[in-house]
Amino acid sequence: MRVYWDAVCLSHNPPHEILSGKLVPYYESPDRVRKVKQALEENGTFQILPAEDDWPQIREHILAVHSHDYLEYLETIYDEWVAIGGDKSAVFPETFRHSQLQNVFNRDIKTMSPFAKAGDAEHKGNYTFDMSCPITSDTYRAAIASVKVALCAARALLGGDRDPSSGIFALARPPGHHAQQALCGGYCFFNNAAIAARYLLQQGGARRVAILDIDYHHGNGTQQIFYTDPSVVYISLHAKGDYPYFTGAADEHGSGDGAGFNHNFPLPTGSTTDDVYCDALQKATDVGRSHNDVDFLVVSLGADTYSGDPICEFLLTQRCYPRIGGIIASLHIPTLFVMEG
């Protein structure tokens, strides 16, 4: 299997985050990628390749998923934060936009006031929904590199590496599936899997792309981006009632033209064993098969379903993961794996 990565992805390294009201070391550490890469190299069956730099239109690929003001925010906010006296370690929001904090005379955020522009550091709470996305001086370029990794892997898939028994792996970081059109959260800034799916649709002439999200947490960002879009089937297995808490219910099926193309499989914490998980995954892949015009599969690959993960309440053992791989391979669809949590 070909594996794409970029050392620039390691540069995003905030000193801390706020979790359960505590200031703690940043969980989404660069060591995750280092250890995964080392394990793949030691395995000997993976071809580790650097992501190519020939992406002059990378902003356009990002804008196919994210809004222009959000892209501008991520690009400029650190310098503006420091310029107004913010701590140089990272940008942290002090307030978050809420429906009850709107100007009653004009609720459109883009025209609400002359201060509500994307780049204004005072309005950093417009573009994030939690405290796990501190933005350092290196965050933007690391997030761009992460997108580049996903796009290089997608391009390789289009270039002929379509063997359903192998697939292509994008060892991307920061992860992406919590990033919405104009919101970061859950360690995610740009939605790599969504950008790759859009690329496969636009550049590969695909009729439809399926995204199978097997991260422990629901991919609220991917769901939001494609909720009204019938060109992408989104299927997620995740912990019921866990982060991000407000999304991922089984009755969220999509809306408008996208009705019937969103499928959630929330699983109970504390009792999801290998068998329970694989049974649910089999049902999820059966749903995927029912959409028989899917040309490519993007797997949002989260390894945080393992029982030893510090923020996981599933009971999955290491023996479960070859079973998961076998079930996914049984779909016989050219597959791009994108690293998540």
Side-chain angles (χ1 to χ4, degrees), residues 26-76:
Y26 200 63
Y27 268 25
E28 204 282 292
S29 164
D31 283 341
R32 289 199 320 118
V33 168
R34 292 191 185 101
K35 291 177 179 178
V36 171
K37 179 174 177 286
Q38 180 181 352
L40 297 179
E41 289 171 337
E42 292 174 351
N43 180 276
T45 61
F46 296 88
Q47 184 182 9
I48 313 295
L49 299 168
E52 300 96 342
D53 288 323
D54 56 334
W55 291 98
Q57 306 298 318
I58 195 164
R59 289 175 65 93
E60 284 71 13
H61 292 303
I62 294 171
L63 290 172
V65 165
H66 295 288
S67 68
H68 185 274
D69 58 325
Y70 177 66
L71 174 61
E72 179 186 349
Y73 165 78
L74 292 179
E75 184 177 16
T76 63

Side-chain angles (χ1 to χ4, degrees), residues 262-280:
N262 194 90
H263 308 275
N264 288 320
F265 292 82
L267 299 171
T269 57
S271 60
T272 294
T273 61
D274 292 3
D275 288 342
V276 170
Y277 191 89
C278 288
D279 286 347

Side-chain angles (χ1 to χ4, degrees), residues 6-307:
D6 191 324
V8 177
C9 291
L10 306 177
S11 62
H12 170 66
N13 191 19
H16 47 247
E17 62 176 298
I18 295 177
L19 186 65
S20 298
K22 299 176 183 178
L23 196 67
V24 299
Y26 200 63
Y27 268 25
E28 204 282 292
S29 164
D31 283 341
R32 289 199 320 118
V33 168
R34 292 191 185 101
K35 291 177 179 178
V36 171
K37 179 174 177 286
Q38 180 181 352
L40 297 179
E41 289 171 337
E42 292 174 351
N43 180 276
T45 61
F46 296 88
Q47 184 182 9
I48 313 295
L49 299 168
E52 300 96 342
D53 288 323
D54 56 334
W55 291 98
Q57 306 298 318
I58 195 164
R59 289 175 65 93
E60 284 71 13
H61 292 303
I62 294 171
L63 290 172
V65 165
H66 295 288
S67 68
H68 185 274
D69 58 325
Y70 177 66
L71 174 61
E72 179 186 349
Y73 165 78
L74 292 179
E75 184 177 16
T76 63
I77 189 60
Y78 179 80
D79 289 340
E80 296 185 9
W81 164 262
V82 172
I84 63 170
D87 189 272
K88 292 182 179 180
S89 64
V91 178
F92 267 104
E94 295 145 3
T95 59
F96 295 88
R97 185 186 181 209
H98 191 279
S99 60
Q100 295 184 44
L101 282 173
Q102 301 306 307
N103 181 321
V104 295
F105 301 106
N106 193 336
R107 295 179 182 273
D108 183 351
I109 192 169
K110 294 181 179 179
T111 58
M112 182 174 64
S113 79
F115 304 104
K117 297 179 294 184
D120 282 337
E122 293 87 346
H123 292 272
K124 55 200 171 297
N126 289 337
Y127 297 97
T128 185
F129 65 86
D130 69 9
M131 300 292 283
S132 69
C133 280
I135 297 173
T136 73
S137 59
D138 294 310
T139 297
Y140 178 73
R141 71 188 193 101
I144 290 287
S146 190
V147 170
K148 183 172 68 175
V149 169
L151 287 173
C152 283
R155 183 166 63 186
L157 199 64
L158 292 181
D161 293 345
R162 302 190 184 190
D163 182 359
S165 66
S166 59
I168 307 290
F169 182 24
L171 185 52
R173 177 193 178 269
H177 74 149
H178 292 306
Q180 299 191 178
Q181 182 188 34
L183 276 178
C184 60
Y187 310 123
C188 302
F189 298 94
F190 293 132
N191 196 312
N192 305 309
I195 293 168
R198 186 70 74 200
Y199 177 85
L200 291 171
L201 287 164
Q202 294 178 340
Q203 304 298 319
R207 294 167 297 175
R208 185 167 283 127
V209 172
I211 299 177
L212 174 63
D213 193 332
I214 57 173
D215 191 276
Y216 176 75
H217 305 97
H218 180 245
N220 60 287
T222 311
Q223 174 171 292
Q224 183 261 342
I225 288 166
F226 296 116
Y227 205 65
T228 61
D229 187 346
S231 67
V232 175
V233 181
Y234 180 63
I235 306 169
S236 176
L237 282 73
H238 52 269
K240 181 178 181 179
D242 209 316
Y243 181 94
Y245 307 115
F246 303 107
T247 66
D251 61 356
E252 295 167 4
H253 299 302
S255 66
D257 291 341
F261 292 93
N262 194 90
H263 308 275
N264 288 320
F265 292 82
L267 299 171
T269 57
S271 60
T272 294
T273 61
D274 292 3
D275 288 342
V276 170
Y277 191 89
C278 288
D279 286 347
L281 181 59
Q282 188 63 63
K283 293 176 183 176
T285 54
D286 288 343
V287 169
R289 287 188 183 89
S290 70
H291 298 279
N292 55 16
D293 55 354
V294 170
D295 292 312
F296 296 100
L297 173 66
V298 177
V299 176
S300 277
L301 178 61
D304 49 358
T305 50
Y306 176 56
S307 60

